[in-house]
Amino acid sequence: MGTATTTITTMADGGMADAGLLQVLWIASPALPVGGFSYSEGLEAAVEAGIVSCEDSAARWLVDQLHLGLSRSDLAVVAQAIPAWRKDDVERIRALNRWVLTTRETHEFRLQTEQMGRSLAEWARALGELGQGLTQRLNRAQLAQPTYPVACACALASSPAGVREALLGFAFGWAENLVQAAIKSIPLGQSAGQRILARLAREIPAAVDHALSLDDDRRQAFTPMLAILSARHETQYSRLFRS
């Protein structure tokens, strides 16, 4: 991890565009130890219910989730939180964090955003001096329960990347995690997973642009079927993913 940070710092000295891209890739990577891989976000329950059963139905389900859920909620929060972190607008950051906590539609979804936000803060602390800036910003905000979109936006805000590029990385990291969930829970082969990921990649720019267009009055978290499935997943008898 230290080597990766050294590379990013060096590239920042010589090329802002390269540094921004590398930092976005690093923070959005499923390899970041925040636990995103352990959640299916309702997908495993959709498989159990027979709603998702093959490559095509999985792709359609995830594309819908991208546009109807992520784009209108967490992506929009990240889009607004990055400039707030860069301006050190603590009140705005706290308001966005409260919105995420109060709009999680199930206990499972709330636990996920709290756990991943907490794990990102712990990751920054584990980096020592390398993560000191991120740790200090999170501490100054005094978020009792830092949510993942807000904490991730804090990490992305330290990058020289533009907000749109940061959102593209955030959305692609989400897509990679959910495709792996589909591969394990349906199950599917790796080639099928790559085809689903390709379909999601084609949809991500439009989802990001929609998220960037939303203000506070139009940002929303309303996915009733997903909420029902998440609630069912909390008590599902046999499951691979965390609840």
Side-chain angles (χ1 to χ4, degrees), residues 223-241:
T223 50
M225 181 181 290
L226 189 61
I228 291 168
L229 289 167
S230 173
R232 288 178 179 175
H233 187 254
E234 291 174 1
T235 57
Q236 190 170 312
Y237 174 71
S238 176
R239 55 185 184 267
L240 298 172
F241 295 94

Side-chain angles (χ1 to χ4, degrees), residues 124-198:
R125 285 193 294 271
L127 292 177
E129 290 185 6
L130 299 175
Q132 189 172 24
L134 175 55
T135 298
Q136 289 174 345
R137 284 192 295 276
L138 288 169
N139 288 342
R140 275 200 307 273
Q142 295 183 329
L143 303 174
Q145 293 288 349
T147 63
Y148 183 64
V150 172
C152 191
C154 184
L156 291 167
S158 65
S159 163
V163 174
R164 187 172 188 273
E165 289 70 28
L167 292 184
L168 289 169
F170 183 92
F172 192 76
W174 170 88
E176 283 190 289
N177 274 323
L178 269 293
V179 166
Q180 287 302 311
I183 287 172
K184 294 173 184 176
S185 57
I186 292 174
L188 297 171
Q190 291 294 330
S191 295
Q194 287 299 299
R195 288 191 293 268
I196 295 172
L197 191 58

Side-chain angles (χ1 to χ4, degrees), residues 202-226:
R202 289 196 297 267
E203 300 287 339
I204 283 173
V208 164
D209 289 337
H210 182 64
L212 286 166
S213 75
L214 298 177
D215 56 22
D216 286 355
D217 291 336
R218 294 192 297 142
R219 187 179 65 242
Q220 60 179 288
F222 182 65
T223 50
M225 181 181 290
L226 189 61

Side-chain angles (χ1 to χ4, degrees), residues 104-118:
R104 298 298 91 163
E105 295 184 283
T106 65
H107 185 59
E108 179 177 271
F109 285 156
R110 175 154 176 161
L111 287 177
Q112 177 182 352
T113 199
E114 289 178 350
Q115 180 269 303
M116 291 179 65
R118 184 170 60 251

